[in-house]
Amino acid sequence: MKKPFLSGIALLAGVIAVFFAVAQAVALSVPPYPDRLGDDNYTEKITGIYLVEQSAARDNNVIIYGSSELRTLNISTHPANFFKGQRNGIQVNLVGRGSCQSLIHAISIAATGDALKGKKVVLITSPQSYVEGGIAPDLFMANFSEQQYLRLMADETIPSEMKLYISQRVRELSDEYNRITGSSMNTYNAAGIMSADAGKDDPLTAAKDLVLKPYYLFSGWLMDLKDKISAGELIRKVGQEPVEKAAGGEIDWELELENAIAEAKKLTDNNEFGILNDYYTTYIGRKLNQQKDKDKDLSYSKSKEYEDLKLLLDLCRLKGIEPLFVHVPLHGKWSDYTGFTKERREEYYRNVRDIVSRYDNVKMLDLTGSEYEEYFLCDIMHLGWKGWLEVDKALDRYYHEG
Protein backbone atom coordinates (compact mmCIF):
# COMPACT_ATOMS: atom_id res chain seq x y z
CA MET A 1 0.00 0.00 0.00
CA LYS A 2 2.80 2.37 0.90
CA LYS A 3 4.61 2.08 -2.44
CA PRO A 4 1.58 2.91 -4.67
CA PHE A 5 0.74 5.83 -2.35
CA LEU A 6 4.25 7.25 -2.65
CA SER A 7 4.16 6.71 -6.40
CA GLY A 8 0.89 8.64 -6.59
CA ILE A 9 2.36 11.50 -4.56
CA ALA A 10 5.40 11.57 -6.84
CA LEU A 11 3.19 11.62 -9.93
CA LEU A 12 1.10 14.47 -8.54
CA ALA A 13 4.24 16.42 -7.64
CA GLY A 14 5.54 15.87 -11.17
CA VAL A 15 2.33 17.13 -12.73
CA ILE A 16 2.36 20.22 -10.51
CA ALA A 17 5.99 20.86 -11.44
CA VAL A 18 5.15 20.65 -15.15
CA PHE A 19 2.24 23.09 -14.74
CA PHE A 20 4.46 25.46 -12.76
CA ALA A 21 7.16 25.30 -15.43
CA VAL A 22 4.63 26.02 -18.18
CA ALA A 23 3.25 29.01 -16.26
CA GLN A 24 6.74 30.38 -15.71
CA ALA A 25 7.64 29.95 -19.38
CA VAL A 26 4.49 31.77 -20.51
CA ALA A 27 5.03 34.59 -18.01
CA LEU A 28 8.62 35.07 -19.18
CA SER A 29 7.54 35.04 -22.83
CA VAL A 30 5.16 38.00 -22.50
CA PRO A 31 6.87 41.13 -23.88
CA PRO A 32 7.01 44.32 -21.76
CA TYR A 33 3.76 46.27 -21.60
CA PRO A 34 3.71 49.13 -24.17
CA ASP A 35 1.89 52.35 -23.27
CA ARG A 36 0.33 52.54 -26.73
CA LEU A 37 -2.05 49.74 -25.68
CA GLY A 38 -3.90 52.32 -23.63
CA ASP A 39 -5.26 54.24 -26.61
CA ASP A 40 -7.78 51.59 -27.66
CA ASN A 41 -10.27 49.45 -25.76
CA TYR A 42 -8.98 45.99 -26.62
CA THR A 43 -11.10 43.03 -25.52
CA GLU A 44 -8.10 41.55 -23.68
CA LYS A 45 -8.27 44.47 -21.24
CA ILE A 46 -12.02 44.15 -20.76
CA THR A 47 -12.27 40.43 -20.01
CA GLY A 48 -8.73 39.80 -18.76
CA ILE A 49 -6.69 40.91 -15.76
CA TYR A 50 -3.02 40.93 -16.75
CA LEU A 51 -3.01 44.02 -19.00
CA VAL A 52 -4.93 46.16 -16.51
CA GLU A 53 -2.51 45.16 -13.76
CA GLN A 54 0.43 46.05 -16.01
CA SER A 55 -1.11 49.41 -16.85
CA ALA A 56 -1.76 50.14 -13.17
CA ALA A 57 1.92 49.50 -12.40
CA ARG A 58 2.90 52.46 -14.60
CA ASP A 59 2.83 55.80 -12.77
CA ASN A 60 1.65 57.86 -15.77
CA ASN A 61 -1.38 55.68 -16.62
CA VAL A 62 -4.94 56.81 -15.94
CA ILE A 63 -7.35 53.91 -16.33
CA ILE A 64 -10.73 54.94 -17.75
CA TYR A 65 -13.59 52.49 -17.22
CA GLY A 66 -16.49 53.24 -19.56
CA SER A 67 -18.79 51.80 -22.17
CA SER A 68 -19.73 52.75 -25.74
CA GLU A 69 -18.61 56.38 -25.35
CA LEU A 70 -15.02 55.10 -25.39
CA ARG A 71 -15.49 54.29 -29.08
CA THR A 72 -16.09 57.92 -30.10
CA LEU A 73 -12.49 58.23 -31.27
CA ASN A 74 -13.67 60.41 -34.16
CA ILE A 75 -14.01 63.27 -31.65
CA SER A 76 -10.77 65.22 -31.30
CA THR A 77 -11.28 65.92 -27.59
CA HIS A 78 -11.72 62.24 -26.70
CA PRO A 79 -9.04 61.64 -24.00
CA ALA A 80 -7.17 59.11 -26.17
CA ASN A 81 -6.83 61.84 -28.80
CA PHE A 82 -6.43 64.82 -26.49
CA PHE A 83 -3.65 63.23 -24.43
CA LYS A 84 -2.06 61.49 -27.42
CA GLY A 85 1.67 61.20 -26.99
CA GLN A 86 1.32 61.47 -23.20
CA ARG A 87 0.42 65.13 -23.34
CA ASN A 88 1.01 66.82 -19.99
CA GLY A 89 2.52 63.54 -18.81
CA ILE A 90 -0.73 61.58 -19.01
CA GLN A 91 -1.22 58.20 -20.69
CA VAL A 92 -4.87 57.16 -20.70
CA ASN A 93 -5.83 53.50 -20.74
CA LEU A 94 -9.32 52.70 -22.04
CA VAL A 95 -11.15 49.73 -20.50
CA GLY A 96 -14.67 49.03 -21.69
CA ARG A 97 -16.98 48.85 -24.67
CA GLY A 98 -20.70 49.01 -25.35
CA SER A 99 -22.79 47.79 -22.39
CA CYS A 100 -19.92 47.54 -19.93
CA GLN A 101 -22.02 48.74 -17.03
CA SER A 102 -21.37 48.99 -13.29
CA LEU A 103 -21.57 45.25 -12.61
CA ILE A 104 -19.02 44.42 -15.33
CA HIS A 105 -16.61 47.08 -14.07
CA ALA A 106 -17.14 46.02 -10.44
CA ILE A 107 -16.15 42.45 -11.29
CA SER A 108 -13.15 43.68 -13.26
CA ILE A 109 -11.91 45.97 -10.47
CA ALA A 110 -12.52 43.36 -7.77
CA ALA A 111 -10.37 40.89 -9.72
CA THR A 112 -7.31 43.16 -9.70
CA GLY A 113 -6.57 42.68 -6.01
CA ASP A 114 -4.52 45.63 -4.76
CA ALA A 115 -3.19 46.59 -8.21
CA LEU A 116 -5.40 49.70 -8.41
CA LYS A 117 -4.87 50.89 -4.85
CA GLY A 118 -3.88 54.56 -4.91
CA LYS A 119 -3.97 54.63 -8.73
CA LYS A 120 -5.74 57.10 -10.98
CA VAL A 121 -9.05 55.59 -12.08
CA VAL A 122 -11.92 57.24 -13.97
CA LEU A 123 -15.46 55.80 -13.96
CA ILE A 124 -17.99 56.96 -16.56
CA THR A 125 -21.67 56.22 -16.07
CA SER A 126 -24.09 56.19 -19.02
CA PRO A 127 -27.72 57.32 -18.58
CA GLN A 128 -29.08 54.59 -20.84
CA SER A 129 -27.78 51.98 -18.38
CA TYR A 130 -30.46 52.87 -15.83
CA VAL A 131 -33.43 51.09 -17.34
CA GLU A 132 -35.55 49.17 -14.84
CA GLY A 133 -33.93 45.76 -15.32
CA GLY A 134 -30.38 47.11 -15.35
CA ILE A 135 -27.91 45.40 -17.65
CA ALA A 136 -29.56 43.07 -20.19
CA PRO A 137 -28.65 39.36 -19.91
CA ASP A 138 -27.17 39.11 -23.42
CA LEU A 139 -25.06 42.22 -22.94
CA PHE A 140 -23.86 40.98 -19.58
CA MET A 141 -22.84 37.60 -20.99
CA ALA A 142 -21.01 39.31 -23.87
CA ASN A 143 -18.74 41.09 -21.39
CA PHE A 144 -18.64 38.69 -18.44
CA SER A 145 -15.25 37.21 -17.52
CA GLU A 146 -15.16 33.87 -15.74
CA GLN A 147 -11.49 34.50 -14.99
CA GLN A 148 -12.29 37.75 -13.18
CA TYR A 149 -15.16 36.15 -11.26
CA LEU A 150 -13.03 33.24 -10.03
CA ARG A 151 -10.22 35.61 -9.06
CA LEU A 152 -12.47 37.86 -6.96
CA MET A 153 -14.17 34.89 -5.31
CA ALA A 154 -10.74 33.68 -4.17
CA ASP A 155 -9.89 37.10 -2.68
CA GLU A 156 -10.29 36.79 1.08
CA THR A 157 -10.27 40.59 1.55
CA ILE A 158 -13.63 40.92 -0.22
CA PRO A 159 -16.51 40.55 2.27
CA SER A 160 -18.82 37.58 1.85
CA GLU A 161 -21.86 39.82 1.36
CA MET A 162 -20.23 41.45 -1.67
CA LYS A 163 -19.35 38.07 -3.13
CA LEU A 164 -22.90 36.89 -2.52
CA TYR A 165 -24.39 39.92 -4.29
CA ILE A 166 -22.08 39.44 -7.28
CA SER A 167 -22.78 35.71 -7.42
CA GLN A 168 -26.53 36.21 -7.27
CA ARG A 169 -26.39 38.77 -10.09
CA VAL A 170 -24.19 36.46 -12.18
CA ARG A 171 -26.56 33.56 -11.61
CA GLU A 172 -29.67 35.67 -12.26
CA LEU A 173 -28.38 37.08 -15.53
CA SER A 174 -26.94 33.77 -16.71
CA ASP A 175 -30.22 31.95 -16.03
CA GLU A 176 -32.23 34.64 -17.79
CA TYR A 177 -29.90 34.52 -20.79
CA ASN A 178 -30.24 30.75 -21.01
CA ARG A 179 -34.00 30.95 -20.66
CA ILE A 180 -34.24 33.43 -23.54
CA THR A 181 -31.75 31.71 -25.85
CA GLY A 182 -32.26 28.06 -24.90
CA SER A 183 -28.54 27.69 -24.22
CA SER A 184 -26.62 26.56 -21.14
CA MET A 185 -23.90 29.21 -20.92
CA ASN A 186 -22.24 29.64 -17.54
CA THR A 187 -24.10 26.64 -16.11
CA TYR A 188 -21.60 23.79 -15.90
CA ASN A 189 -18.31 25.69 -15.78
CA ALA A 190 -16.54 26.69 -12.56
CA ALA A 191 -18.19 30.11 -12.37
CA GLY A 192 -21.61 28.63 -13.03
CA ILE A 193 -21.36 25.99 -10.33
CA MET A 194 -19.87 28.41 -7.81
CA SER A 195 -22.45 31.14 -8.41
CA ALA A 196 -25.31 28.62 -8.19
CA ASP A 197 -24.07 27.44 -4.79
CA ALA A 198 -23.46 30.93 -3.39
CA GLY A 199 -25.47 31.67 -0.28
CA LYS A 200 -26.37 28.03 0.40
CA ASP A 201 -25.58 27.08 3.97
CA ASP A 202 -25.93 23.32 4.24
CA PRO A 203 -23.56 20.36 4.76
CA LEU A 204 -24.02 19.02 1.22
CA THR A 205 -23.01 22.31 -0.40
CA ALA A 206 -20.06 22.66 1.99
CA ALA A 207 -18.86 19.18 1.07
CA LYS A 208 -19.36 19.92 -2.62
CA ASP A 209 -17.31 23.13 -2.33
CA LEU A 210 -14.51 21.24 -0.60
CA VAL A 211 -14.41 18.57 -3.31
CA LEU A 212 -14.57 21.12 -6.13
CA LYS A 213 -12.03 23.57 -4.70
CA PRO A 214 -9.11 22.05 -6.69
CA TYR A 215 -11.27 22.33 -9.83
CA TYR A 216 -11.99 26.00 -9.12
CA LEU A 217 -8.29 26.70 -8.51
CA PHE A 218 -7.18 24.83 -11.61
CA SER A 219 -9.82 26.59 -13.76
CA GLY A 220 -8.60 29.96 -12.51
CA TRP A 221 -5.00 28.97 -13.15
CA LEU A 222 -5.79 27.93 -16.73
CA MET A 223 -7.64 31.19 -17.39
CA ASP A 224 -4.79 33.26 -15.96
CA LEU A 225 -2.43 31.36 -18.26
CA LYS A 226 -4.68 31.95 -21.27
CA ASP A 227 -4.93 35.64 -20.31
CA LYS A 228 -1.13 36.00 -20.36
CA ILE A 229 -0.89 34.18 -23.71
CA SER A 230 -3.54 36.49 -25.22
CA ALA A 231 -1.83 39.53 -23.73
CA GLY A 232 1.49 38.47 -25.23
CA GLU A 233 -0.06 38.00 -28.67
CA LEU A 234 -1.68 41.44 -28.49
CA ILE A 235 1.52 43.15 -27.35
CA ARG A 236 3.47 41.56 -30.19
CA LYS A 237 0.79 42.69 -32.64
CA VAL A 238 0.77 46.27 -31.34
CA GLY A 239 4.54 46.40 -31.16
CA GLN A 240 7.10 47.82 -28.77
CA GLU A 241 7.69 51.12 -30.54
CA PRO A 242 7.66 53.83 -27.86
CA VAL A 243 4.95 56.47 -27.84
CA GLU A 244 5.94 59.58 -29.79
CA LYS A 245 5.79 62.27 -27.14
CA ALA A 246 3.51 65.27 -27.64
CA ALA A 247 4.89 68.78 -27.52
CA GLY A 248 5.16 70.25 -24.05
CA GLY A 249 3.75 73.49 -22.76
CA GLU A 250 0.72 74.62 -20.81
CA ILE A 251 -2.67 73.70 -22.28
CA ASP A 252 -4.64 76.68 -23.60
CA TRP A 253 -8.14 75.55 -22.68
CA GLU A 254 -9.86 78.50 -24.35
CA LEU A 255 -8.12 77.74 -27.64
CA GLU A 256 -8.99 74.05 -27.29
CA LEU A 257 -12.64 75.01 -26.84
CA GLU A 258 -12.59 77.22 -29.93
CA ASN A 259 -11.07 74.41 -31.99
CA ALA A 260 -13.58 71.91 -30.64
CA ILE A 261 -16.54 74.11 -31.55
CA ALA A 262 -15.15 74.76 -35.04
CA GLU A 263 -14.80 71.01 -35.62
CA ALA A 264 -18.27 70.30 -34.24
CA LYS A 265 -19.93 72.86 -36.52
CA LYS A 266 -18.48 71.22 -39.61
CA LEU A 267 -19.55 67.73 -38.57
CA THR A 268 -23.12 68.52 -37.44
CA ASP A 269 -24.47 70.82 -40.13
CA ASN A 270 -27.28 68.63 -41.48
CA ASN A 271 -29.55 68.73 -38.41
CA GLU A 272 -30.84 71.01 -35.67
CA PHE A 273 -29.74 68.84 -32.74
CA GLY A 274 -25.95 69.20 -32.99
CA ILE A 275 -25.66 65.50 -33.77
CA LEU A 276 -22.94 64.04 -35.97
CA ASN A 277 -24.09 64.12 -39.59
CA ASP A 278 -23.42 60.42 -40.19
CA TYR A 279 -25.23 59.40 -37.02
CA TYR A 280 -28.20 61.58 -37.84
CA THR A 281 -28.46 60.27 -41.41
CA THR A 282 -28.12 56.64 -40.35
CA TYR A 283 -30.32 56.49 -37.26
CA ILE A 284 -32.71 59.45 -37.46
CA GLY A 285 -32.98 61.33 -40.76
CA ARG A 286 -36.20 60.33 -42.51
CA LYS A 287 -37.44 58.65 -39.32
CA LEU A 288 -37.41 61.91 -37.36
CA ASN A 289 -41.21 62.18 -37.15
CA GLN A 290 -41.40 58.64 -35.74
CA GLN A 291 -39.12 59.68 -32.85
CA LYS A 292 -41.52 62.35 -31.60
CA ASP A 293 -42.66 61.46 -28.03
CA LYS A 294 -41.43 57.86 -28.36
CA ASP A 295 -39.89 58.10 -24.87
CA LYS A 296 -42.92 59.59 -23.13
CA ASP A 297 -43.14 56.51 -20.89
CA LEU A 298 -39.40 56.11 -20.34
CA SER A 299 -38.17 56.36 -16.77
CA TYR A 300 -34.88 55.82 -14.98
CA SER A 301 -36.44 56.20 -11.53
CA LYS A 302 -36.02 52.52 -10.62
CA SER A 303 -33.22 50.33 -11.87
CA LYS A 304 -31.02 47.46 -10.72
CA GLU A 305 -28.16 49.53 -12.08
CA TYR A 306 -28.34 51.72 -8.95
CA GLU A 307 -27.50 48.75 -6.71
CA ASP A 308 -24.76 47.69 -9.13
CA LEU A 309 -23.37 51.22 -8.97
CA LYS A 310 -23.26 51.03 -5.16
CA LEU A 311 -21.38 47.75 -5.45
CA LEU A 312 -18.85 49.34 -7.81
CA LEU A 313 -18.24 52.27 -5.46
CA ASP A 314 -18.12 49.98 -2.41
CA LEU A 315 -15.39 47.96 -4.11
CA CYS A 316 -13.43 51.09 -4.97
CA ARG A 317 -13.53 52.14 -1.33
CA LEU A 318 -12.55 48.65 -0.18
CA LYS A 319 -9.63 48.54 -2.63
CA GLY A 320 -8.27 51.97 -1.68
CA ILE A 321 -9.23 53.58 -4.99
CA GLU A 322 -10.21 57.27 -5.13
CA PRO A 323 -11.83 57.46 -8.57
CA LEU A 324 -12.97 60.40 -10.64
CA PHE A 325 -16.63 59.68 -11.36
CA VAL A 326 -18.12 61.26 -14.50
CA HIS A 327 -21.88 61.87 -14.37
CA VAL A 328 -22.96 62.23 -18.03
CA PRO A 329 -26.10 64.17 -19.02
CA LEU A 330 -28.77 63.24 -21.50
CA HIS A 331 -29.23 65.31 -24.65
CA GLY A 332 -31.71 67.90 -23.42
CA LYS A 333 -33.10 69.06 -26.75
CA TRP A 334 -33.42 65.52 -28.11
CA SER A 335 -34.97 64.22 -24.89
CA ASP A 336 -37.57 66.97 -24.99
CA TYR A 337 -38.41 66.00 -28.56
CA THR A 338 -38.76 62.30 -27.72
CA GLY A 339 -40.86 63.01 -24.62
CA PHE A 340 -38.37 62.08 -21.89
CA THR A 341 -39.24 65.03 -19.69
CA LYS A 342 -36.84 67.27 -17.81
CA GLU A 343 -38.51 66.30 -14.52
CA ARG A 344 -37.80 62.61 -15.07
CA ARG A 345 -34.26 63.37 -16.22
CA GLU A 346 -33.66 65.39 -13.07
CA GLU A 347 -34.90 62.50 -10.97
CA TYR A 348 -32.30 60.25 -12.57
CA TYR A 349 -29.56 62.83 -12.09
CA ARG A 350 -30.45 63.13 -8.39
CA ASN A 351 -30.50 59.38 -7.90
CA VAL A 352 -26.91 59.00 -9.15
CA ARG A 353 -25.76 62.16 -7.41
CA ASP A 354 -27.19 61.01 -4.07
CA ILE A 355 -25.46 57.63 -4.31
CA VAL A 356 -22.07 59.05 -5.24
CA SER A 357 -22.26 61.71 -2.51
CA ARG A 358 -22.14 58.96 0.14
CA TYR A 359 -18.57 58.08 -0.81
CA ASP A 360 -15.93 60.51 0.44
CA ASN A 361 -13.27 58.70 -1.59
CA VAL A 362 -14.99 59.61 -4.89
CA LYS A 363 -14.47 62.85 -6.80
CA MET A 364 -17.48 63.57 -8.99
CA LEU A 365 -17.48 65.50 -12.24
CA ASP A 366 -21.17 66.37 -12.55
CA LEU A 367 -21.87 67.36 -16.17
CA THR A 368 -25.66 67.08 -15.95
CA GLY A 369 -26.13 70.85 -15.93
CA SER A 370 -24.91 70.92 -19.54
CA GLU A 371 -27.68 68.85 -21.10
CA TYR A 372 -28.81 71.78 -23.30
CA GLU A 373 -25.31 72.92 -24.22
CA GLU A 374 -24.64 72.69 -27.93
CA TYR A 375 -21.95 70.20 -28.98
CA PHE A 376 -21.70 68.76 -25.47
CA LEU A 377 -22.78 65.39 -26.84
CA CYS A 378 -21.94 64.10 -30.32
CA ASP A 379 -25.16 62.13 -30.76
CA ILE A 380 -28.17 61.41 -28.56
CA MET A 381 -26.18 59.74 -25.76
CA HIS A 382 -22.39 59.98 -26.08
CA LEU A 383 -20.02 62.71 -24.96
CA GLY A 384 -18.99 65.05 -27.74
CA TRP A 385 -16.56 67.88 -28.35
CA LYS A 386 -17.40 70.08 -25.35
CA GLY A 387 -18.30 67.16 -23.09
CA TRP A 388 -15.03 65.35 -23.59
CA LEU A 389 -13.12 68.61 -23.18
CA GLU A 390 -14.67 69.04 -19.71
CA VAL A 391 -13.58 65.49 -18.91
CA ASP A 392 -10.06 66.31 -20.17
CA LYS A 393 -9.87 69.34 -17.87
CA ALA A 394 -11.03 67.35 -14.86
CA LEU A 395 -8.75 64.43 -15.71
CA ASP A 396 -5.77 66.77 -15.99
CA ARG A 397 -6.55 68.30 -12.56
CA TYR A 398 -7.20 64.87 -11.05
CA TYR A 399 -3.89 63.51 -12.31
CA HIS A 400 -1.71 66.46 -11.30
CA GLU A 401 -3.41 67.64 -8.12
CA GLY A 402 -4.24 64.24 -6.67
Side-chain angles (χ1 to χ4, degrees):
M1 285 290 291
K2 190 174 181 181
K3 192 171 183 180
F5 176 75
L6 292 175
S7 297
I9 293 294
L11 178 62
L12 179 61
V15 170
I16 292 173
V18 169
F19 283 144
F20 181 77
V22 169
Q24 286 293 99
V26 169
L28 291 171
S29 72
V30 180
Y33 177 92
D35 279 327
R36 63 177 57 252
L37 269 180
D39 293 334
D40 209 338
N41 53 347
Y42 296 102
T43 302
E44 291 83 354
K45 290 189 289 183
I46 298 165
T47 58
I49 300 172
Y50 179 81
L51 290 175
V52 173
E53 289 179 335
Q54 293 298 305
S55 170
R58 303 178 75 80
D59 291 336
N60 66 346
N61 275 218
V62 177
I63 303 176
I64 303 178
Y65 287 93
S67 57
S68 53
E69 71 280 337
L70 298 184
R71 293 301 300 165
T72 59
L73 291 165
N74 53 333
I75 306 298
S76 63
T77 52
H78 184 295
N81 297 325
F82 191 84
F83 293 105
K84 193 81 170 178
Q86 299 177 359
R87 186 180 188 182
N88 236 14
I90 297 171
Q91 172 64 56
V92 301
N93 188 17
L94 310 180
V95 182
R97 59 185 174 190
S99 302
C100 281
Q101 297 175 210
S102 296
L103 181 60
I104 292 294
H105 291 320
I107 291 171
S108 175
I109 287 173
T112 61
D114 291 328
L116 295 176
K117 183 176 182 179
K119 301 299 181 177
K120 298 299 184 182
V121 173
V122 178
L123 307 174
I124 303 177
T125 192
S126 300
Q128 63 272 17
S129 299
Y130 292 82
V131 293
E132 186 171 354
I135 189 169
D138 58 330
L139 302 178
F140 172 77
M141 294 304 295
N143 293 303
F144 174 68
S145 167
E146 186 181 10
Q147 178 201 12
Q148 292 172 358
Y149 174 76
L150 292 176
R151 178 76 72 87
L152 77 87
M153 291 299 287
D155 186 343
E156 294 182 358
T157 68
I158 298 177
S160 58
E161 59 269 23
M162 282 189 185
K163 292 180 180 178
L164 179 59
Y165 178 88
I166 293 170
S167 294
Q168 288 176 335
R169 288 289 280 142
V170 169
R171 185 76 265 139
E172 170 194 2
L173 290 160
S174 299
D175 286 348
E176 183 63 12
Y177 176 83
N178 291 334
R179 186 190 66 78
I180 293 170
T181 63
S183 62
S184 58
M185 281 188 67
N186 215 30
T187 299
Y188 304 112
N189 58 15
I193 298 170
M194 188 182 289
S195 61
D197 287 343
K200 293 181 181 178
D201 186 17
D202 60 84
L204 185 60
T205 301
K208 181 180 173 184
D209 285 343
L210 184 63
V211 170
L212 289 177
K213 189 169 184 179
Y215 168 60
Y216 295 151
L217 292 173
F218 185 65
S219 295
W221 180 85
L222 279 179
M223 289 172 195
D224 287 346
L225 194 64
K226 182 180 177 183
D227 183 24
K228 288 187 177 70
I229 292 171
S230 298
E233 290 174 351
L234 178 62
I235 291 172
R236 281 185 281 271
K237 179 180 176 181
V238 171
Q240 292 290 324
E241 187 178 347
V243 172
E244 184 178 344
K245 295 298 179 68
E250 189 174 345
I251 298 173
D252 186 337
W253 295 105
E254 287 299 322
L255 179 60
E256 295 291 348
L257 178 60
E258 290 176 15
N259 292 338
I261 292 172
E263 178 183 295
K265 285 181 177 179
K266 291 179 182 178
L267 298 176
T268 62
D269 59 5
N270 73 348
N271 66 90
E272 61 181 290
F273 296 99
I275 292 172
L276 277 164
N277 290 337
D278 289 348
Y279 185 96
Y280 185 83
T281 301
T282 303
Y283 299 106
I284 302 174
R286 288 175 292 180
K287 297 179 284 187
L288 178 61
N289 291 338
Q290 299 171 29
Q291 306 296 309
K292 180 68 174 172
D293 293 330
K294 74 177 181 65
D295 293 331
K296 58 183 176 60
D297 297 321
L298 182 63
S299 173
Y300 296 156
S301 62
K302 296 180 180 178
S303 175
K304 291 183 180 180
E305 182 71 15
Y306 292 118
E307 293 303 315
D308 291 347
L309 174 61
K310 291 175 189 176
L311 169 74
L312 173 59
L313 299 180
D314 283 340
L315 279 163
C316 284
R317 183 162 57 190
L318 176 72
K319 293 297 182 181
I321 303 167
E322 297 184 355
L324 173 65
F325 181 89
V326 182
H327 193 5
V328 178
L330 288 106
H331 192 302
K333 189 173 181 178
W334 179 254
S335 295
D336 288 343
Y337 183 80
T338 61
F340 189 13
T341 66
K342 185 171 180 58
E343 289 73 25
R344 278 180 283 140
R345 300 197 303 267
E346 287 293 341
E347 181 183 23
Y348 154 68
Y349 296 151
R350 283 195 304 273
N351 287 346
V352 172
R353 202 177 293 130
D354 289 347
I355 290 171
V356 178
S357 68
R358 301 172 199 168
Y359 297 84
D360 56 9
N361 62 307
V362 180
K363 300 180 180 183
M364 180 162 62
L365 175 62
D366 190 348
L367 302 175
T368 58
S370 298
E371 62 172 14
Y372 286 109
E373 191 168 339
E374 194 173 27
Y375 310 133
F376 206 83
L377 301 185
C378 66
D379 50 37
I380 63 174
M381 66 185 76
H382 297 123
L383 287 166
W385 303 268
K386 286 185 179 180
W388 274 128
L389 191 61
E390 287 301 313
V391 173
D392 296 335
K393 284 184 192 177
L395 194 157
D396 188 64
R397 289 194 302 271
Y398 171 62
Y399 178 80
H400 289 289
E401 296 174 8

